[in-house]
Amino acid sequence: MSATTRTAGGAIGASLDRLDGPQKVTGTAPYAYEHRLDNPLYLFPLRSEIVLGRVTGIDASAAETHAGVVLVITHENAPRLADTGDKELAILQSGEVAFRGQYIGAVVAETFEAARHAAGLVEVAYEEEPHEAELREDGDNLYTPERLNAGFPTDTDEGIFDAAYASAAVTLDGRYTTPMEHNNPMEPHTTVAVWEGGDLTLYESTQGTHPVQRTVAKVFGLDRNRVRVVAPYVGGGFGAKGLPHANTVLAALAAQMIEGRPVKFALTRQQMFTGVGYRTPTIQRVRLGADDEGNLTAISHDVVEQTAKIKEFAEQTAAVTRSMYATQNRRTTHRLAALDVPVPSWMRAPGKAPGVFALESAMDEMAEKCGLDPIEFRIRNEPEIDFETGLPYSSRNLVACFRAGAKRFGWEDRNPAPRSRQEGHWLVGTGMASSTYPVYRLPGSRATIRHEGGGKYAVEIGAADIGTGTWTALTQISADAIGVGVEDIDLRIGDTTFPFASVAGGSSGITAWGSAIFEAARVFRERHGDDPSEGDEAQARTPDNPETKNYAMHAFGAYFVEARVDADTGEVRVPRMTGVFAVGNVINAKTARSQFVGGMTMGLSMALHEESLVDGRFGHVVNHDFAEYHIPTNADVGEMDVSWIDEDDPYVNPMGSKGIGEIGIVGSAAAVTNAVYHATGVRIRDLPITPDKLVR
Ligand code: MOS
């Protein structure tokens, strides 16, 4: 770290360089696959080639006798798991197959190449059953889940929507769809599993060491302290590594049969399209009603999405619509189609990203119907309080984001008429959208602070840095909490050896872990005073925040996008995006900016590129690689203008900060489709915006 970063009090807010930057760019930061371990073995999985049915026979003789092969594990010889309640994780316990690509075994060998080759020599016979692997909104497999993820109620209804909508002066009824998307972090899911004397160690690529420890301990029937999970560096997750998946169990099962030797399992990119989660496709209907002045009088949001038959995953897609804009007459519903597919999971801003795409598209359409500028329309419907909870907002500076963004972007001179600007072949348009994300605080994290002598402090918490900047931000927070400089902090994270930390998910990490560190510092001072001795320590847990009963806590943001569409080919380019955020105190301007740029880039990607295409006959994602599953490259990403407004929120946590990992994607895809509409006059309601949808 550079000398200019010396701080004592005031570390929070400093634009500190990433503390782990040098290790990462020199290749010395060990990711899960790279820990130096003696005598490793390599695992290559066997995956089901049918969608639904069972394995009736396995001939592994050719694989078993192949040079270098140590083990072929299948349901016929795999150890029994102690807990098979989670059907996603309970692999190799029978020959049953629940989706295409499900693990039915693995080959373990002295080299990766031998394992991979031998896996191809295993002959598997199946008995197949008819399956359903594609989402349809009129299917007979739709049901109403009891609750949505994160505990949200499934449906909400004030009971007066229909009447309010029927009597509205202006109405909009829009159907929007978002496709299945796969998280695809740069580092694939990876586990290196070692059993020694009944103790299991997992070098894991995960968003939460302790959540993996707890889940794996339960599945294998082990005492928690016999499972150690190590994850100092993680190459991205975007939610796919927020919960352990079957790959972790597979590596641990194989390692159990080869006591003492580490078994390494890193998924190939193609394997990343099965069994590590994905964003459910959604089919959404949004209806808006407004009076003559453009005041919303009715909002409804009805969602159909999918889950796996073996495990329910109920994305909270319309939950955001319950709070975002002012009207008493709100109705939201969610229906799930239970399919023979891998289990959907979290992907950056679960629920919010697809839900706000639909809502903010509808708001753009409705603004035009009401004859209002889209910013003015939103300001007119800005709520005084959170209508869903009845609570005031701890801070809600959406309008300030609109104003700052409009100025930075140059919104003022916009001709509202669609298709009003052409430059050569290019139709040029601009669009905007709102963003929001809740301030989540997961319970249970603990931090330990220990004085190591000479004014130096060790701070220990099992938190994960998935590439977001946790190492740096928690060091800054620790420095201010204890009242020393960042150079006096030795932060230790990414290992279950350290105190429990909640998952790096829901943009909750800094709130949960930082609050634990502040509390530990308070306890430390109380116990040891201002002049502690070497070895003095204190541990504390993330305290409850009583203000959550008094205030609704959310971050907000606004995007402005310029889109250029080739009038002949429908090619879309986005030369610039402006994002302005209201997220409380920013802990580290440099790493925060990266989070926003990353989120907005992922939103651009959601708008223009990403779509997992399922062939229903075979139940698999056809475009399962980066040649055909498109994500933006540098050439696709134009100028990203990111800023935030000064926001003082004393209620959220001791740092005054709101989570920033996910808000950047929420609504950014709608800003792109809104700009494309303004450029062309063609409203794209089905993501992604491929050229065929524009030239049709
Ligand atoms: Mo994030 S998708 O909540 O891990």
Side-chain angles (χ1 to χ4, degrees):
M1 91 197 56
S2 69
T4 55
T5 59
R6 272 191 93 84
T7 45
I12 292 176
S15 204
L16 196 64
D17 287 348
R18 266 173 204 269
L19 300 178
D20 49 340
Q23 291 104 295
K24 284 187 171 172
V25 297
T26 56
T28 57
Y31 288 79
Y33 204 75
E34 298 162 342
H35 293 273
R36 287 179 181 276
L37 301 169
D38 290 336
N39 220 7
L41 291 165
Y42 299 84
L43 181 151
F44 197 87
L46 302 171
R47 304 192 305 148
S48 163
E49 288 171 7
I50 64 165
V51 181
L52 188 65
R54 61 200 53 80
V55 173
T56 54
I58 297 178
D59 180 359
S61 51
E64 278 163 348
T65 54
H66 187 270
V69 171
V70 173
L71 170 74
V72 179
I73 179 175
T74 70
H75 73 277
E76 291 171 355
N77 63 349
R80 296 301 94 186
L81 295 168
D83 187 318
T84 56
D86 184 329
K87 297 297 175 208
E88 180 183 5
L89 300 178
I91 52 167
L92 312 195
Q93 302 302 291
S94 76
E96 298 298 313
V97 170
F99 58 85
R100 173 147 173 169
Q102 191 172 26
Y103 299 126
I104 56 169
V107 176
V108 181
E110 298 290 346
T111 64
F112 172 76
E113 291 75 14
R116 183 176 198 151
H117 181 74
L121 304 176
V122 178
E123 304 277 352
V124 182
Y126 300 95
E127 189 179 291
E128 253 186 287
E129 287 173 28
H131 65 260
E132 184 63 63
E134 272 179 302
L135 175 64
R136 297 203 340 256
E137 64 196 305
D138 56 353
D140 54 11
N141 48 14
L142 294 186
Y143 74 98
T144 307
E146 257 180 51
R147 293 194 83 73
L148 304 175
N149 294 341
F152 288 101
T154 305
D155 296 350
T156 58
D157 193 349
E158 308 297 327
I160 41 183
F161 169 80
D162 289 334
Y165 184 74
S167 64
V170 186
T171 59
L172 174 92
D173 187 347
R175 179 185 184 274
Y176 306 87
T177 66
T178 60
M180 172 188 277
E181 298 165 351
H182 281 79
N183 311 54
N184 274 308
M186 201 187 307
E187 181 200 24
H189 288 62
T190 302
T191 304
V192 181
V194 203
W195 286 86
E196 272 159 325
D199 289 341
L200 173 62
T201 303
L202 299 169
Y203 301 87
E204 180 82 7
S205 183
T206 179
Q207 294 172 227
T209 55
H210 288 93
V212 170
Q213 177 199 45
R214 288 175 179 213
T215 302
V216 169
K218 184 163 174 255
V219 168
F220 282 84
L222 298 168
D223 205 69
R224 266 182 212 160
N225 58 26
R226 312 216 68 165
V227 181
R228 180 180 170 204
V229 180
V230 182
Y233 303 101
V234 179
F238 306 125
K241 297 171 185 169
L243 300 163
H245 298 290
N247 56 295
T248 305
V249 178
L250 183 60
L253 273 174
Q256 197 173 13
M257 296 176 74
I258 316 165
E259 169 84 21
R261 292 191 70 180
V263 171
K264 294 185 152 197
F265 178 24
L267 273 65
T268 63
R269 184 55 63 183
Q270 290 195 338
Q271 289 163 357
M272 292 290 287
F273 285 81
T274 311
V276 294
Y278 58 93
R279 198 193 294 287
T280 174
T282 69
I283 302 164
Q284 307 181 51
R285 182 183 188 192
V286 177
R287 281 174 291 171
L288 302 177
D291 66 18
D292 291 327
E293 260 89 67
N295 300 301
L296 285 170
T297 54
I299 299 184
S300 77
H301 193 163
D302 301 297
V303 181
V304 175
E305 51 201 5
Q306 76 184 45
T307 185
K309 264 186 205 156
I310 55 167
K311 184 175 169 181
E312 184 176 278
F313 183 89
E315 180 122 334
Q316 68 271 34
T317 303
V320 64
T321 303
R322 298 166 186 169
S323 293
M324 193 61 187
Y325 295 110
T327 173
Q328 294 287 2
N329 309 322
R330 294 161 294 129
R331 196 183 95 101
T332 58
T333 66
H334 296 78
R335 297 295 174 268
L336 296 182
L339 301 175
D340 305 304
V341 293
V343 186
S345 191
W346 299 333
M347 182 161 164
R348 203 173 198 168
K352 302 284 177 305
V356 172
F357 164 69
L359 178 63
E360 287 301 295
S361 298
M363 288 295 286
D364 199 64
E365 296 188 45
M366 193 64 171
E368 189 183 30
K369 284 195 165 204
C370 293
L372 290 170
D373 175 85
I375 297 177
E376 177 52 32
F377 178 55
R378 285 170 175 81
I379 290 175
R380 216 163 272 202
N381 291 289
E382 178 68 3
E384 293 285 303
I385 58 160
D386 173 15
F387 279 79
E388 181 65 6
T389 59
L391 297 173
Y393 285 95
S394 61
S395 53
R396 178 173 168 127
N397 287 302
L398 177 60
V399 173
C401 293
F402 291 153
R403 300 229 152 94
K407 202 166 165 196
R408 292 180 76 94
F409 183 82
W411 185 260
E412 209 169 273
D413 309 326
R414 183 181 192 253
N415 178 345
R419 215 182 167 105
S420 56
R421 191 172 148 203
Q422 184 155 4
E423 294 175 14
H425 278 275
W426 297 100
L427 303 171
V428 183
T430 55
M432 56 80 58
S434 306
S435 183
T436 185
Y437 199 84
V439 177
Y440 286 124
R441 161 191 297 246
L442 298 177
S445 295
R446 290 168 178 275
T448 296
I449 293 174
R450 189 166 46 253
H451 186 229
E452 308 243 90
K456 305 276 184 196
Y457 290 83
V459 176
E460 297 180 344
I461 181 166
D465 187 330
I466 61 172
T468 50
T470 303
W471 276 108
T472 315
L474 285 189
T475 298
Q476 292 172 263
I477 288 168
S478 300
D480 278 6
I482 298 169
V484 294
V486 289
E487 62 285 346
D488 297 322
I489 300 296
D490 178 10
L491 180 76
R492 298 170 189 170
I493 62 172
D495 194 321
T496 51
T497 306
F498 306 133
F500 177 87
S502 54
V503 67
S507 301
S508 68
I510 293 299
T511 291
W513 311 325
S515 299
I517 290 170
F518 260 85
E519 183 64 7
R522 190 188 65 73
V523 173
F524 185 96
R525 267 192 302 277
E526 202 173 85
R527 198 174 292 168
H528 306 296
D530 288 335
D531 189 20
S533 311
E534 186 173 339
D536 283 350
E537 67 172 56
Q539 189 184 93
R541 184 193 284 260
T542 306
D544 288 339
N545 181 0
E547 298 295 354
T548 55
K549 293 188 186 68
N550 306 324
Y551 295 100
M553 300 178 183
H554 301 261
F556 293 92
Y559 311 98
F560 297 81
V561 166
E562 178 181 322
R564 302 172 85 85
V565 181
D566 188 298
D568 299 322
T569 66
E571 177 188 345
V572 179
R573 293 191 188 174
V574 175
R576 60 193 185 107
M577 285 177 90
T578 290
V580 180
F581 300 93
V583 292
N585 253 336
V586 167
I587 308 288
N588 180 317
K590 191 172 283 183
T591 55
R593 185 177 181 281
S594 294
Q595 288 296 292
F596 294 130
V597 169
M600 286 162 61
T601 302
M602 211 160 164
L604 176 71
S605 184
M606 181 180 177
L608 298 183
H609 302 296
E610 292 189 51
E611 178 173 30
S612 303
L613 296 159
V614 173
D615 185 332
R617 295 169 300 170
F618 306 107
H620 73 306
V621 175
V622 181
N623 55 337
H624 57 169
D625 56 45
F626 280 164
E628 296 187 79
Y629 184 91
H630 292 171
I631 55 172
T633 65
N634 283 337
D636 296 307
V637 184
E639 183 196 339
M640 288 285 183
D641 168 39
V642 168
S643 62
W644 45 87
I645 61 159
D646 284 331
E647 182 176 79
D648 181 30
D649 190 327
Y651 305 113
V652 281
N653 58 42
M655 295 75 66
S657 66
K658 299 175 178 178
I660 56 173
E662 289 161 286
I663 188 168
I665 192 175
V666 180
S668 46
V672 175
T673 53
N674 294 344
V676 166
Y677 170 75
H678 185 237
T680 62
V682 180
R683 172 65 60 181
I684 304 294
R685 296 195 181 96
D686 306 292
L687 292 182
I689 313 170
T690 46
D692 56 303
K693 293 173 187 167
L694 287 167
V695 298
R696 207 175 269 162

